[in-house]
Amino acid sequence: MNDAALSQVLDDIQDGIAIFDMECRFVRVNKVFSAECRRLYGADIRPGISVLSLCEAYPQWAQQWLYHCKRALAGDSNTYVCSIPNVVPGGAHHRISFKPLYDNDGEVTGAFMLSRNVSHELSFYQDMLHANAHLHQVQAAMDACAMVALLDERARIIRVNQMFCEATGLPAPALVGLSFGQIISQVESPCDADEIWRTLKTGNTWHNEVAYNSADSSLIWVDATVSPFSTGGGQGGYLVICFNITARKQQELKARENEQFYRSVLENLPVGLHQYTADGWSVDLNNYMRDILGENHLSVNGLPYNVLGDPINRHNGLNALFEEVIRRRVPVKKEILLKYTEVQSGAVTRIQPAYYEATGFPVIGQQNELAYMFLILSEITEKKLAELSLEKSERLLNNIVENLPIGYIQFDNFGFIRRVNQTQRLFFGNVTDGAEDSYNMINDPFAKLFELDQLFMQVLQHGKMVRTEKRLDLSMDKEWSKQEREVYLDLTMFPVYDPVDKDQIVVALVNDITDKKRQEIENAKSQEFMLQTGEIGKIGGWEIDVPSYRVRWSPQTYRIHELPPHTQMSMEKMGTFFSDDERMRMEEAILDCTQYGKSFDVQLTLVTARNNSIKIRMIGRPEFKNGRIVRIHGVIQDITEQFQIRDQLSRNTELMSLFFDTIDMGYAIMGQDGKVNFINKKAEEIIDHEAVVGNNIFEVFPWLVGSTFHAKVNECIEHRRPVSFINYLPQTNTWYEFLLASMQDGSLSIFTRNITSSRRMQKELRKANEQLLSLNKYLVNQNKQLEDFAHITSHNLRAPIANLKALMQIYNNTESENERELYINMQHDVIMNIDETLNDLIEIVQIRKDLNLERESLSFQERLQRIKEILTVDIETSGIRLTSDFSDSPDIEYPKIYLDSILQNLLTNAIKYRANDRSPMVHFQSRKVDGGVMLTAEDNGVGIDLDRYGHKLFGFRKTFHKNKDAKGIGLFITKSQIEAMGGNILAESKPGKGTKFIITFRPE
């Protein structure tokens, strides 16, 4: 709190407040204290004034302040009353309290003073008179509604009222003089006389609800209070006040008995039950709900919790459920994913979803208002996972069949088509919806011509698979195919028993092996078959009274047994709903619970009153009283649907495994998390690892992480479209062809085939082609070199040789020795120029010859640093500022000698042609472009007129500035080196604006 806020708080207090430091100086005073000091003492008190300095001017009260302040600074809290006469009529009286102030370490840092005006307390006696009158009125009211007795200090009855006499059945004279202990001895429960007197002796009031037998032997409950009192002068006694609460107590006991029964049923329910207020605040919940929510949940720990305000419930659907309950005021049921639980599988901990059937229902009050809301959570994880797995299997089977990379045709035992997948329709190119319904394999002329009908009958009669290659001329079939070509088909037919129709069917797998590369696999909308399950079996309660073995059922238990409510039930009749074996299991469980207190949870088969056989879950727990089992509480739940779903899932899994083990390629089903759910036998042969099913493939084969296969899996998951590719696995030195197809539930269908042999043949062929191309390129380059060399030689040597010839002629015609010596020196200069030109030409020819220089991984930054070290003197002399940015493409595969030469020529060029009117600078930058690398070198030098000299910029010995160091060879060599490695160089420049060279390196 800041200083201004503290001042405002102190000024708002109606008593005088002062704070002192350790030297008895005022640190802070409020407005009331300042005003009272001026009014009563005539003193102006301000912060900073010492109490010691006030003692001379105001000794009467200042010395008292000083004494009591020092006591407080010594750690002693104290209070005294100060009287100031003649200030107001009757004088002024103040109660002054001093208390020490402590810091965080417990050390005294100051004193606090509070001054309160207590002059008004002199009116105490007048108030006593009014209180006495009120006391008589209270006594009359108490006599009218309560039993009242007055005891002396020895707990003997002095006085009783009429209601006390009526309650005890004795007149007042008979009660007066009796010890109150004699009255207590008639109390039934719960009352301890010793406890009463211990409480009263300490000066405290004793209060409790007790029961006693009245004169007519009926049990009377009273709310009893015994309070000690003192009349002054050492006299005292006790006041006993009792209110008759028999009617309320009887209702409470009845309600508690009913509540105990229903709570025992609710606590033993295998479902969670949670009570909320109308606005969503938690009220109560049973043990099962506590287990569901977990020990860290607010409502489990008795802390305030609002179900409507929990953001998690926005996601799991509970908010929407309660909002619908509040809006419609009817029960609402939904299946929700409430949480995730950890499931231990060996050394691996997996996360599993927990599904619950949530039922919310309202409780309407007497004024038609929403009084409470209840939530019932019944775990359906096993059922839901079974449903999802069954749905997934059905979708998977249909999706796989539709997305197979080979044709799939299913015939009934009469030869009619029952199903054709999309791959087969695309192959024939003739299918419209329902067109295949009239086709019959046995009677079709085209099938007879190529003996397809005989294959069909062979499979149907012998019940064995047949696989053969067939050559078919589809141009001869005008009705069923639009193909106008001859094809070779890998045809596989095998019988399958249909467990639904109890018939033998024939499945044909048609693989076009004419041109496998041209087959396209498309995803089709998978047909969803939702298995509609009936409503989950409702849960009923039951109870067996152990001494009498009387059976009690809840209405829901009667409905499960398909009996009318309130049908008389007994242990013997309850056993008639079970077979002999099941009845023995039930009776043994109940007997163990009765004799040994063992709770039980069993699954039994029950035959209802309407002769319907159902699966039930029966749970029972004992209830103890005084160490003995008195009752067994339990619940019963219909779990028939879970068993039906489990059986159907098993049948579908067997059918899918049989189908995929017959195809001649590896096939696997993988979830988005990498978990392999299914592989066929061919896939097991390819990967040679039986333990892959049920595990993450990237954990079983960690070398797949980051591979092409891994990237393609992520691509298929992200874009949800088929992906085909060829991948080399160095760990096994094999090549595989893959097809990945995303299924509707997000899982992947993976088809694969080993193509190592064909891939090796392609590699050898490609290597031979590359050798031919390299030889051809070398020959073309040699021809180009000859042409360039002839042109450069004729252009650059003609003038020097002509000059040399002319100088020799003049030398021969001159007789003067001085002139002859002059011409000899001029001839020497011309010859040196010719020699330099020839050396440059030889270097250029060598560059164009060295096409196969070894490339190596080079860092732009490291090579540029090397060039800076070489040109240190030129850089420091010129004062050029060199900057670089190679972050986008820091490395390159290139010959080191060429890259160093390129960087040196570009940097030297920037130094030579720097502008005199500004500080020179050059900036190098690399970046990735279209699979290659681009390097730029941009300076702020004198620039060049490209419109005038652009076509000569990279020419041999071409210069465009009056720079004495310019030879016109550096850029020509740089261009030759770059083009020799397949790249190119461009320039952007304007006079006076600098030059930017752009080099594009060809990728290896």
Side-chain angles (χ1 to χ4, degrees), residues 374 443 709 777:
F374 281 85
N443 300 325
F709 176 81
K777 181 178 179 181

Side-chain angles (χ1 to χ4, degrees), residues 746-868:
S747 300
L748 298 182
S749 285
I750 303 176
F751 299 91
T752 184
R753 180 171 49 194
N754 191 326
I755 58 169
T756 304
S757 299
S758 62
R759 193 67 181 180
R760 288 174 178 169
M761 293 177 60
Q762 292 176 5
K763 184 176 181 179
E764 293 174 0
L765 179 60
R766 183 168 61 252
K767 183 176 181 181
N769 288 335
E770 288 177 353
Q771 291 175 349
L772 289 174
L773 290 173
S774 178
L775 179 60
N776 181 59
K777 181 178 179 181
Y778 177 76
L779 294 174
V780 171
N781 186 62
Q782 290 294 319
N783 291 334
K784 184 69 167 58
Q785 287 182 24
L786 290 174
E787 292 177 5
D788 290 347
F789 188 79
H791 174 74
I792 293 170
T793 302
S794 63
H795 183 273
N796 289 280
L797 295 180
R798 185 183 298 116
I801 292 174
N803 290 336
L804 182 62
K805 183 178 180 182
L807 288 171
M808 290 179 65
Q809 185 176 358
I810 296 172
Y811 175 84
N812 293 329
N813 295 333
T814 301
E815 297 180 357
S816 173
E817 289 298 328
N818 292 333
E819 291 183 359
R820 290 169 71 90
E821 185 178 356
L822 174 63
Y823 290 132
I824 287 294
N825 292 332
M826 294 177 67
Q827 291 177 23
H828 179 269
D829 292 339
V830 172
I831 291 171
M832 291 300 293
N833 187 29
I834 292 173
D835 180 68
E836 184 179 356
T837 300
L838 286 174
N839 288 333
D840 291 340
L841 289 173
I842 290 170
E843 182 178 356
I844 293 167
V845 171
Q846 185 64 34
I847 290 172
R848 295 183 174 180
K849 182 180 179 181
D850 294 338
L851 295 177
N852 295 319
L853 281 177
E854 181 181 357
R855 295 173 182 255
E856 54 184 307
S857 179
L858 301 173
S859 166
F860 280 115
Q861 191 65 49
E862 291 178 1
R863 301 322 304 166
L864 182 59
Q865 180 61 33
R866 172 66 176 162
I867 301 305
K868 288 170 63 178

Side-chain angles (χ1 to χ4, degrees), residues 75-255:
D76 180 22
S77 298
N78 58 89
T79 302
Y80 71 99
V81 176
C82 177
S83 299
I84 303 100
N86 304 324
V87 177
V88 294
H93 306 274
H94 283 74
R95 183 169 60 245
I96 299 176
S97 299
F98 280 85
K99 291 188 177 182
L101 298 177
Y102 297 91
D103 59 13
N104 293 333
D105 297 326
E107 298 293 331
V108 177
T109 60
F112 176 89
M113 170 184 172
L114 184 143
S115 177
R116 175 170 294 175
N117 191 332
V118 295
S119 301
H120 63 281
E121 294 178 3
L122 295 177
S123 60
F124 171 78
Y125 295 107
Q126 293 180 351
D127 294 339
M128 285 289 293
L129 296 175
H130 292 292
N132 189 45
H134 289 303
L135 184 61
H136 285 289
Q137 296 174 359
V138 170
Q139 179 181 347
M142 291 293 294
D143 287 339
C145 63
M147 298 174 284
V148 180
L150 192 63
L151 314 179
D152 61 15
E153 64 275 8
R154 290 185 294 174
R156 292 178 302 186
I157 298 177
I158 302 173
R159 179 184 177 278
V160 295
N161 68 352
Q162 183 61 32
M163 290 190 68
F164 197 96
C165 296
E166 293 174 356
T168 57
L170 297 173
L175 290 171
V176 172
L178 287 179
S179 171
F180 191 64
Q182 296 176 266
I183 303 298
I184 295 176
S185 62
Q186 301 179 22
V187 173
E188 290 289 328
S189 171
C191 183
D192 185 350
D194 293 337
E195 177 193 353
I196 296 175
W197 301 126
R198 282 196 302 269
T199 303
L200 296 177
K201 290 298 183 181
T202 60
N204 295 318
T205 297
W206 179 86
H207 175 264
N208 204 347
E209 293 180 355
V210 297
Y212 69 93
N213 289 316
S214 65
D216 58 358
S217 298
S218 62
L219 192 65
I220 303 297
W221 280 90
V222 295
D223 184 333
T225 301
V226 181
S227 300
F229 67 88
S230 176
T231 60
Q235 299 296 318
Y238 305 95
L239 178 64
V240 180
I241 301 176
C242 301
F243 293 93
N244 191 325
I245 57 170
T246 303
R248 174 172 66 82
K249 202 66 178 180
Q250 289 174 346
Q251 293 177 353
E252 289 180 359
L253 292 174
K254 182 64 176 179

Side-chain angles (χ1 to χ4, degrees), residues 258-293:
N258 292 335
E259 181 183 359
Q260 183 179 5
F261 168 73
Y262 287 110
R263 177 166 289 277
S264 63
V265 173
L266 294 177
E267 288 295 339
N268 287 281
L269 286 175
V271 296
L273 183 65
H274 204 150
Q275 180 183 2
Y276 299 94
T277 63
D279 52 358
W281 290 99
S282 173
V283 177
D284 196 7
L285 66 166
N286 68 353
N287 288 332
Y288 199 93
M289 181 63 82
R290 292 185 179 92
D291 293 339
I292 292 173
L293 298 179

